[in-house]
Amino acid sequence: MQRVTAQLVAGLVAAVLSLLADQCWADGGGPSLAERVIWAVNSGGESHVDVHGIHFKKDPLEGKIGKASDYGMRLPILRSSPEDQILYQTERYNEDTFGYDIPIREEGDYILVMKYAEVYFAQSQQKVFDVRLNGHIVVKDLDIFERVGHSTAHDEIVPFSIRRGKLSVQGEVSTFNGKLTVEFVKGYYDNPKVCALYVMKGTLEDVPKLQPHPGLEKHEEEEEEEEDPDGGEEGGKKKVLPGSKYRVQSGPRTPNPYAADNSSLMFPILVAFGVFIPTLFCLCRL
């Protein structure tokens, strides 16, 4: 009985401490954004400290796997601050699946942030790949150009949690052994890549947002529900199905004008009668 009581007390104390810690964070007395980041790497590039104080280390895969590229250094990157464009201008890619192992020793809620920019291809369906987290597909068919266009910053954000030796991400659960493996999976179109990535403790609300992109916002608005001028039961909105803009609506089939017309059958009979009657008349006169 005493053992059970001690366990209950310990559980209550832990819960109270967790609530106090959350309250401190909410009040601004908790760790800063940079202090919440437990791991950060500038893929294919040198170390860098961004405007939020996050320290991105030099790529640990240098000379081990894949290839580093600074092709994007010649381009300005939209949606990114000038100080942090380097995080989108360098990258690591590989001709096969590759990834990073990230040690995580504490339980809690985490966020994986992956930074991308398409600096080479100028159309979609040229580079498409998946992202896998400890065997779970967390990003499917990532086409950077299709998402944001050319030389434009794009962040893929994946929340996950670790509790009681279990990793939970996007509704899936697996055993966690203290190591988070982020893999960029080779697909049918070109090679997988990443520009930079980091893992931090917190929630989606804690992740810094990229600068707005007017062209991108307009594109996203076009893909959303269109307003129905006549209103109706659906709250005045009409959902536009994918591809409906170019879809030709089907209507009733055009009636076959020859379906019930027997004139084509009667014509040979009339011709036969026209030939037979004069012939019979001539024979009778003989």
Side-chain angles (χ1 to χ4, degrees):
M1 184 66 179
Q2 292 180 349
R3 184 177 180 181
V4 173
T5 304
Q7 290 177 345
L8 290 174
V9 171
L12 289 172
V13 171
V16 170
L17 291 175
S18 177
L19 288 173
L20 289 174
D22 292 342
Q23 186 63 38
C24 288
W25 281 20
D27 295 340
S32 64
L33 174 64
E35 291 172 335
R36 298 186 201 182
V37 174
I38 64 170
W39 188 93
V41 160
N42 181 22
S43 300
E46 300 295 325
S47 61
H48 174 76
V49 179
D50 74 358
V51 295
H52 305 287
I54 300 175
H55 184 268
F56 290 82
K57 297 180 179 179
K58 181 180 178 180
D59 195 344
L61 296 185
E62 182 63 34
K64 297 179 181 178
I65 186 172
K67 299 178 181 179
S69 172
D70 61 356
Y71 184 84
M73 292 288 288
R74 67 192 71 185
L75 300 171
I77 305 298
L78 300 176
R79 302 184 73 196
S80 175
S81 62
E83 299 86 352
D84 292 335
Q85 291 196 13
I86 188 65
L87 295 174
Y88 299 92
Q89 291 171 325
T90 63
E91 63 184 52
R92 178 163 298 279
Y93 68 92
N94 192 34
E95 296 178 354
D96 201 354
T97 299
F98 76 102
Y100 296 85
D101 291 331
I102 306 169
I104 298 181
R105 298 180 177 85
E106 297 181 4
E107 295 186 348
D109 295 322
Y110 291 88
I111 302 290
L112 167 65
V113 180
M114 296 167 286
K115 297 182 176 293
Y116 297 97
E118 182 52 70
V119 296
Y120 185 76
F121 293 111
Q123 62 183 24
S124 60
Q125 295 295 306
Q126 298 299 304
K127 180 188 289 292
V128 183
F129 57 94
D130 298 340
V131 179
R132 199 160 53 200
L133 191 66
N134 282 35
H136 305 279
I137 297 293
V138 293
V139 181
K140 182 68 175 176
D141 295 333
L142 176 59
D143 187 332
I144 305 165
F145 185 90
E146 186 177 57
R147 297 282 183 92
V148 295
H150 191 264
S151 61
T152 303
H154 173 65
D155 288 354
E156 284 289 336
I157 304 172
V158 180
F160 64 95
S161 63
I162 299 172
R163 286 184 175 83
R164 298 180 180 180
K166 299 292 184 181
L167 168 69
S168 300
V169 57
Q170 297 183 355
E172 299 180 358
V173 181
S174 62
T175 302
F176 184 71
N177 60 3
K179 181 176 67 175
L180 190 74
T181 301
V182 183
E183 294 178 291
F184 307 95
V185 184
K186 170 74 173 180
Y188 292 107
Y189 301 100
D190 202 62
N191 305 312
K193 76 168 192 176
V194 65
C195 296
L197 67 160
Y198 66 88
V199 175
M200 61 173 287
K201 295 195 72 171
T203 62
L204 289 172
E205 291 73 20
D206 301 321
V207 180
K209 302 298 187 295
L210 291 171
Q211 296 178 6
H213 186 327
L216 179 61
E217 290 176 354
K218 183 178 179 181
H219 176 70
E220 290 175 346
E221 287 176 0
E222 290 176 351
E223 291 183 346
E224 291 178 353
E225 297 178 346
E226 290 186 348
E227 298 238 349
D228 185 358
D230 298 330
E233 297 180 359
E234 299 299 325
K237 289 190 176 182
K238 183 178 180 182
K239 188 174 182 181
V240 180
L241 298 176
S244 60
K245 181 179 179 181
Y246 307 102
R247 187 177 301 160
V248 178
Q249 295 294 335
S250 298
R253 291 187 177 183
T254 303
N256 184 357
Y258 304 104
D261 189 359
N262 296 325
S263 59
S264 58
L265 297 176
M266 295 295 296
F267 182 74
I269 298 174
L270 293 175
V271 172
F273 270 105
V275 174
F276 176 73
I277 291 176
T279 304
L280 180 63
F281 179 77
C282 292
L283 291 174
C284 290
R285 294 194 62 178
L286 294 173

